[in-house]
Amino acid sequence: NAGVTQTPKFQVLKTGQSMTLQCAQDMNHEYMSWYRQDPGMGLRLIHYSVGAGITDQGEVPNGYNVSRSTTEDFPLRLLSAAPSQTSVYFCASSYSPGRGKKLFFGSGTQLSVL
Amino acid sequence: AQKITQTQPGMFVQEKEAVTLDCTYDTSDPSYGLFWYKQPSSGEMIFLIYQGSYDQQNATEGRYSLNFQKARKSANLVISASQLGDSAMYFCAMRDTDSNYQLIWGAGTKLIIKP
């Protein structure tokens, strides 16, 4: 009963370093997405995917890359970390992008960039 | 553009009282869905309740109900008989075709239940 699995839970990076946040779901969901949550704000969409091989940008895509080679996995890559990318990151998925389909969330990754 | 507004940054409520958390939305799409999520201090996002724009009745899930007033573009969350464990951030979100079905989020309301 894994659902959406995100790793790592915590990460500290130095400015300029790169890293990949991993996200995997075992529910055969078509739709996967990455959000960031900053203090006092709602979630903001970084990138999303509506199926293997299909990705698109959200509201705040700069500095991040994604790929979707399988239905299950949707990694988020930080190319050159900046302090402005300090945030909590959530991966989320749903059966489809449809209006009635709720998102299932991972447990989040707290990222600090020094 | 689509927008979700939660006007209450924080609320204090006495335990066992009912709570209403406000949410207004803006969309020109007649087909949309409205969601409420809870985020406790542990950080996870927990789905609470969903209302579709064409649903005839207000959604209910246990102690949670949604006061859906379509003409006013309002989707308030009502928690009956509040409990200490209800203390958390609460987010309202919307999904419609104009946003390519991406979830648009409000800024959240921090609810604190007092014993």
Side-chain angles (χ1 to χ4, degrees), chain A residues 31 33 35 37 40-45 48 50 56 88 90 94 96-107, chain B residues 31-35 37 39 42-45 47 50 52-54 91 95-96 100-108:
Chain A
Y31 176 84
S33 56
Y35 288 90
Q37 184 180 29
M41 298 181 69
L43 280 72
R44 292 185 293 169
L45 182 66
Y48 67 96
V50 296
D56 207 345
V88 178
F90 286 99
S94 66
S96 73
R99 66 178 177 90
K101 298 297 183 277
K102 72 179 186 185
L103 284 180
F104 293 77
F105 282 83
S107 56
Chain B
S31 176
Y32 53 88
L34 295 156
F35 301 80
Y37 281 82
Q39 187 178 39
S42 53
E44 71 267 34
M45 297 291 289
F47 167 77
Y50 165 79
S53 59
Y54 294 123
F91 292 96
R95 210 170 192 180
D96 66 9
N100 199 23
Y101 296 113
Q102 308 318 307
L103 269 175
I104 310 298
W105 294 83

Side-chain angles (χ1 to χ4, degrees), chain B residues 18-114:
Chain B
V19 181
T20 298
L21 304 180
D22 295 340
C23 173
T24 57
Y25 59 92
D26 189 18
T27 179
S28 57
D29 188 349
S31 176
Y32 53 88
L34 295 156
F35 301 80
W36 277 92
Y37 281 82
K38 172 183 178 181
Q39 187 178 39
S41 57
S42 53
E44 71 267 34
M45 297 291 289
I46 302 167
F47 167 77
L48 295 178
I49 197 165
Y50 165 79
Q51 179 85 43
S53 59
Y54 294 123
D55 294 343
Q56 294 297 315
Q57 293 191 323
N58 287 347
T60 61
E61 292 280 353
R63 292 188 301 113
Y64 303 107
S65 61
L66 206 150
N67 184 3
F68 182 47
Q69 299 186 42
K70 197 169 180 177
R72 298 179 62 183
K73 293 189 174 179
S74 167
N76 298 340
L77 177 70
V78 180
I79 307 174
S80 63
S82 58
Q83 303 170 357
L84 296 179
D86 294 332
S87 294
M89 283 289 292
Y90 288 81
F91 292 96
C92 179
M94 177 177 68
R95 210 170 192 180
D96 66 9
T97 52
D98 286 346
S99 62
N100 199 23
Y101 296 113
Q102 308 318 307
L103 269 175
I104 310 298
W105 294 83
T109 296
K110 182 166 181 138
L111 175 64
I112 297 174
I113 307 297
K114 299 183 292 183

Side-chain angles (χ1 to χ4, degrees), chain A residues 34-95:
Chain A
W34 278 101
Y35 288 90
R36 61 177 287 172
Q37 184 180 29
D38 299 305
M41 298 181 69
L43 280 72
R44 292 185 293 169
L45 182 66
I46 305 172
H47 285 284
Y48 67 96
S49 168
V50 296
I54 306 169
T55 63
D56 207 345
Q57 297 181 351
E59 181 185 355
V60 289
N62 291 342
Y64 308 95
N65 271 359
V66 292
S67 60
R68 183 102 178 264
S69 55
T70 67
T71 299
E72 294 78 19
D73 300 299
F74 191 47
L76 178 72
R77 281 181 287 279
L78 279 70
L79 308 173
S80 177
S84 61
Q85 293 179 304
T86 294
S87 189
V88 178
Y89 291 84
F90 286 99
C91 178
S93 70
S94 66
Y95 285 103

